[in-house]
């Protein structure tokens, strides 16, 4: 304690770094080290390029492992099935870049959803983009070939929020994550995901133009010509 107080008073960054490094090493238990060692070995096989960038030396690897172990403890990543879920997501990535600790933790947290039969956040985002591209081909959202019932409710809700609040892609992603968390809690509470149900037509809407004017463009043309003739008559 005296060493810490002295380092703070003297602003000795070297001593402070040494103390923090020592404290971090103390929280690393043998089981956690074993799990993270195995995890890093597998991640290095999937993302080998990292050995040429941020994990060039054994010290680099050891420092990153300590940070990951601390982050796992803070976020409740303690089970092998959670790490397996993270590895499944890692193997599906198209990018060659090593995932951040936060990203990998988010993959691990999806293990509960996978067990409940729910798609991952990334699967929902992919479906969101597919629906955005192709929805015009279908008469109603209910006619769209959703890959999972929850996709219907989440994608449509997030699209409404996106148009209302002008969401960025990052905000869309966070909204999807929030909605999926809600549905996971619904399933855990014993409630089921309802199937897509076609909405009743809104009879308050005004009739379409082809109903107001059965003649279509010909009718609009007659109205336009009559209006121009009226203007010319006034100008003479």
């Amino acid at each position: 304690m005296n060493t810490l107080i002295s380092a703070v008073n003297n602003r000795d960054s070297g001593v402070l770094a040494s103390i923090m490094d020592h404290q971090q090493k103390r929280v690393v238990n043998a089981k956690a080290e074993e799990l993270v060692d195995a995890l890093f070995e597998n991640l290095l096989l999937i993302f080998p390029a990292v050995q040429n960038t941020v994990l060039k030396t054994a010290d680099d690897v050891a420092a990153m492992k300590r940070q990951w172990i601390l982050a796992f403890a803070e976020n409740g990543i303690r089970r092998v099935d959670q790490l397996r879920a993270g590895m499944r997501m890692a193997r599906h990535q198209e990018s060659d870049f090593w995932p951040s600790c936060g990203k990998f933790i988010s993959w691990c947290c999806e293990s509960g959803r996978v067990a409940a039969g729910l798609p991952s956040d990334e699967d929902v985002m992919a479906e969101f983009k597919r629906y955005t591209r192709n929805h015009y081909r279908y008469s109603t959202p209910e006619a769209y070939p959703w890959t999972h019932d929850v996709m219907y409710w989440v994608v449509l809700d997030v699209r409404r929020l996106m148009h209302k609040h002008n969401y960025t892609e990052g905000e869309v992603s966070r909204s999807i994550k929030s909605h999926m968390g809600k549905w996971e809690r619904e399933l855990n509470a014993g409630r089921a995901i309802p199937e897509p149900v076609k909405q009743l037509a809104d009879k308050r809407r005004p009739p379409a133009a082809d109903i107001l004017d059965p003649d279509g463009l010909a009718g609009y043309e007659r109205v336009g010509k009559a209006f121009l003739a009226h203007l010319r008559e006034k100008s003479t």
Side-chain angles (χ1 to χ4, degrees):
M1 179 61 72
N2 290 336
T3 303
L4 175 60
I5 294 172
S6 175
V8 171
N9 290 336
N10 296 325
R11 298 183 180 180
D12 192 331
S13 59
V15 174
L16 286 171
S18 176
I19 293 172
M20 291 303 297
D21 186 59
H22 176 66
Q23 291 297 322
Q24 288 176 355
K25 288 179 180 177
R26 288 176 59 189
V27 302
V28 178
N29 58 55
K31 182 61 177 178
E33 287 183 342
E34 181 183 336
L35 288 175
V36 173
D37 284 343
L39 173 64
F40 268 51
E41 287 178 8
N42 283 277
L43 285 176
L44 286 170
L45 293 175
I46 299 173
F47 308 105
V50 74
Q51 297 176 88
N52 300 320
T53 54
V54 296
L55 297 181
K56 290 183 178 180
T57 68
D59 287 342
D60 293 336
V61 175
M64 183 174 284
K65 283 181 179 179
R66 288 196 296 272
Q67 293 301 319
W68 279 51
I69 292 169
L70 288 170
F72 282 2
E74 292 168 355
N75 290 275
I77 306 299
R78 302 181 179 91
R79 304 192 311 273
V80 173
D81 66 295
Q82 291 174 313
L83 296 185
R84 287 174 179 163
M87 286 302 303
R88 279 196 300 271
M89 294 295 295
R91 286 191 289 269
H92 291 157
Q93 300 310 300
E94 297 180 0
S95 170
D96 295 329
F97 292 104
W98 180 275
S100 68
C101 185
K103 171 61 72 175
F104 190 82
I105 286 173
S106 72
W107 294 344
C108 293
C109 290
E110 291 181 358
S111 61
R113 297 183 192 172
V114 173
L118 288 173
S120 68
D121 293 345
E122 294 193 357
D123 289 338
V124 180
M125 175 60 92
E127 185 99 335
F128 182 93
K129 292 178 178 179
R130 282 194 297 271
Y131 181 78
T132 299
R133 290 194 305 268
N134 302 321
H135 70 92
Y136 70 92
R137 299 177 181 176
Y138 301 89
S139 57
T140 65
E142 296 73 29
Y144 184 82
W146 301 101
T147 58
H148 193 289
D149 285 344
V150 79
M151 297 287 197
Y152 169 85
W153 303 102
V154 173
V155 170
L156 295 185
D157 282 349
V158 174
R159 274 178 60 83
R160 279 192 287 269
L161 292 171
M162 179 186 70
H163 292 306
K164 181 178 180 180
H165 302 293
N166 196 26
Y167 277 176
T168 63
E169 183 168 342
E171 289 169 329
V172 166
S173 179
R174 287 191 290 274
S175 184
I176 285 174
K177 183 178 182 67
S178 174
H179 278 73
M180 289 302 295
K182 182 195 76 171
W183 282 109
E184 183 180 0
R185 291 189 293 274
E186 289 285 307
L187 289 180
N188 290 338
R191 290 183 281 273
I193 300 172
E195 295 181 0
V197 178
K198 187 173 182 179
Q199 304 297 311
L200 295 175
D202 187 351
K203 299 183 182 300
R204 296 171 299 175
R205 294 177 180 174
D210 58 347
I211 296 177
L212 290 174
D213 182 11
D215 295 332
L217 292 177
Y220 286 121
E221 187 176 355
R222 284 197 301 271
V223 172
K225 287 181 178 179
F227 184 66
L228 286 174
H230 174 69
L231 291 177
R232 293 192 184 100
E233 183 179 349
K234 289 182 64 176
S235 62
T236 57

